[in-house]
Amino acid sequence: MKSTSPRRAAVAIGSALTVTALAVMLGGCSSTNSSGTASTASSADIAVGSVGTMDQFADISDICPEEGEITVGVVDGFGTNSWSKTVLAEIEAEAANCPAITGVEFAAGRGDLQATTAAITSMAAKGTDIVLVIPDAGPGEAHLSALRSAVQSGSTVVAFASDPEGAAGSDFLDYTDWSPQFSGKTWGQWVVDQLGDEGGNVVFLGGPAGSAVSSQELEGVKEVFADNPQITLLNEEPVTTNWDPAQAQQAMSGLLSQYPEIDAVISDYGASTDGVIRAYQAAGISLPPVATTDQNSLSCGFDELKASNPSYELATVSSRTWVGRVALRKAVASLSGTSDTEPSIFELSLAEDSSGVTDGAKTPAEVCAEGAPADGSPSSLLTPEEVEKTFAN
């Protein structure tokens, strides 16, 4: 039997006596473990599936319970790159602001679906109160059985950063992320603006094969390009890079060999874009406009590259390493019966635009964080000290 903290037991009793806002929102769907604790509904309103912007972030100090102990586990279906390191550090930093959280356990699936799902069920089976999952070791729906099993074991489960393609409230508590389609549309419109009426050929580089995130981003790109026939998308599916710079370089080199003219590149991970740049340099071809997620090396290195690549421009959205903080807050709120009505899904506009056409976006020089790791995220919410600690090893 799963052990239940005193605080958790109190929440379960309160939930049994109250018709809650979240239960109504979810149509009464919830699973119950052997101790009677509702694992997908409590007295908290967590605004499941709501859409908004970053200025609506909540404060975990308003959510954290004053008593009890909460254990947290994080399962990252990939978990091996700098982005994943930063995500984990952000969750740990957020957890440190809630004294009830006793620690954060981490498991990396390394792109292996079986290892990822095993880690999810294992964490839940040993009584972890909150299990946060990035279901990106394969198609989102392939993780659903493990997510459901964790819910049935009594854990409060929140998926984040990759669409699990299930039903919030029954398969898991909530899914928190950016809107991949919105980011795709943002990138796509910027490319349209850069290429103008003459248009041109564009390629889109994604992550692992079958990644839901990359596929949804590309849907957004295609939606914009459908209204702009002067733009030709050269690949119907995301080009696989496994979000690895070396593989991205190899993939981009192949594209440059295959297509004599590529007028813009959309790459859905900043570190992969480093590989894209190296491929262009190795081929002796001038860089075109590139849209991607933020990374310090891209911002800090822009001016030097621009000097020798006059057609190069850079546009980025936040790489949303902070989204795990939102997932944690939603889970803590549900578990403790404290409402958290911040958005689950965030629509991100361009944060950085070297061409200056986007209102409110900064230039690469303004974004560059001197002294920070090259593969760090400028939009991370970590302090400089936390960033240094994260990349010390």
Side-chain angles (χ1 to χ4, degrees):
M1 178 182 296
K2 180 179 174 64
S3 61
T4 305
S5 69
R7 181 67 180 180
R8 199 171 201 193
V11 170
I13 293 170
S15 298
L17 297 174
T18 307
V19 179
T20 70
L22 181 58
V24 172
M25 181 181 298
L26 300 178
C29 295
S30 65
S31 301
T32 305
N33 68 6
S34 56
S35 66
T37 302
S39 53
T40 60
S42 76
S43 57
D45 175 7
I46 64 163
V48 171
S50 60
V51 179
T53 55
M54 292 174 64
D55 58 2
Q56 296 172 273
F57 279 158
D59 187 335
I60 198 170
S61 64
D62 297 328
I63 297 167
C64 183
E66 296 179 358
E67 58 184 38
E69 296 182 348
I70 300 173
T71 55
V72 176
V74 178
V75 180
D76 187 334
F78 205 66
T80 59
N81 55 27
S82 296
W83 183 86
S84 291
K85 285 184 179 180
T86 307
V87 168
L88 177 60
E90 297 236 26
I91 292 172
E92 291 173 335
E94 191 74 6
N97 293 320
C98 178
I101 296 176
T102 58
V104 177
E105 182 181 357
F106 176 71
R110 300 181 178 275
D112 185 313
L113 179 60
Q114 184 175 356
T116 300
T117 55
I120 296 168
T121 55
S122 175
M123 279 193 182
K126 65 185 178 183
T128 307
D129 294 309
I130 291 172
V131 180
L132 308 179
V133 181
I134 303 178
D136 65 350
E141 62 185 5
H143 303 75
L144 282 178
S145 178
L147 296 177
R148 291 168 181 149
S149 177
V151 169
Q152 290 294 332
S153 294
S155 293
T156 297
V157 180
V158 178
F160 73 104
S162 184
D163 191 352
E165 302 178 32
S170 55
D171 295 325
F172 43 83
L173 175 70
D174 200 3
Y175 161 52
T176 68
D177 203 355
W178 62 5
S179 167
Q181 294 94 333
F182 191 91
S183 292
K185 288 192 287 187
T186 298
W187 288 326
Q189 186 58 57
W190 182 81
V191 166
V192 169
D193 293 340
Q194 294 301 305
L195 300 184
D197 293 338
E198 292 185 5
N201 298 326
V202 182
V203 293
F204 179 91
L205 280 70
S211 165
V213 176
S214 298
S215 296
Q216 290 163 6
E217 291 162 345
L218 186 55
E219 287 176 12
V221 171
K222 288 180 177 180
E223 184 177 336
V224 172
F225 288 178
D227 294 329
N228 293 274
Q230 75 275 23
I231 305 295
T232 299
L233 182 65
L234 296 176
N235 54 296
E236 283 299 310
E237 299 296 329
V239 175
T240 298
T241 70
N242 286 319
W243 293 316
D244 177 86
Q247 293 185 46
Q249 180 177 353
Q250 183 177 14
M252 192 69 233
S253 296
L255 290 168
L256 290 171
S257 298
Q258 183 177 359
Y259 300 107
E261 185 174 349
I262 297 175
D263 301 291
V265 176
I266 302 175
S267 168
D268 74 349
Y269 178 40
S272 297
T273 306
D274 279 340
V276 169
I277 292 171
R278 289 198 294 269
Y280 269 91
Q281 291 172 326
I285 301 173
S286 181
L287 279 165
V290 177
T292 185
T293 61
D294 64 347
Q295 178 170 277
N296 205 42
S297 65
L298 299 177
S299 302
C300 297
F302 175 80
D303 288 339
E304 182 178 354
L305 279 174
K306 177 69 173 177
S308 56
N309 296 269
S311 60
Y312 177 45
E313 298 293 350
L314 176 67
T316 69
V317 297
S318 170
S319 56
R320 97 276 193 216
T321 58
W322 40 260
V323 75
R325 295 178 184 260
V326 181
L328 179 63
R329 292 194 293 262
K330 296 277 188 180
V332 171
S334 178
L335 194 60
S336 63
T338 304
S339 295
D340 174 13
T341 58
E342 68 185 311
S344 301
I345 304 297
F346 294 83
E347 294 184 338
L348 304 180
S349 58
L350 289 179
E352 177 182 21
D353 180 2
S354 65
S355 71
V357 302
T358 305
D359 290 341
K362 296 181 178 180
T363 66
E366 291 173 321
V367 172
C368 170
E370 296 289 351
D375 52 3
S377 168
S379 62
S380 165
L381 301 183
L382 296 172
T383 66
E385 293 76 19
E386 289 168 340
V387 170
E388 183 179 0
K389 180 180 178 182
T390 300
F391 291 94
N393 298 322

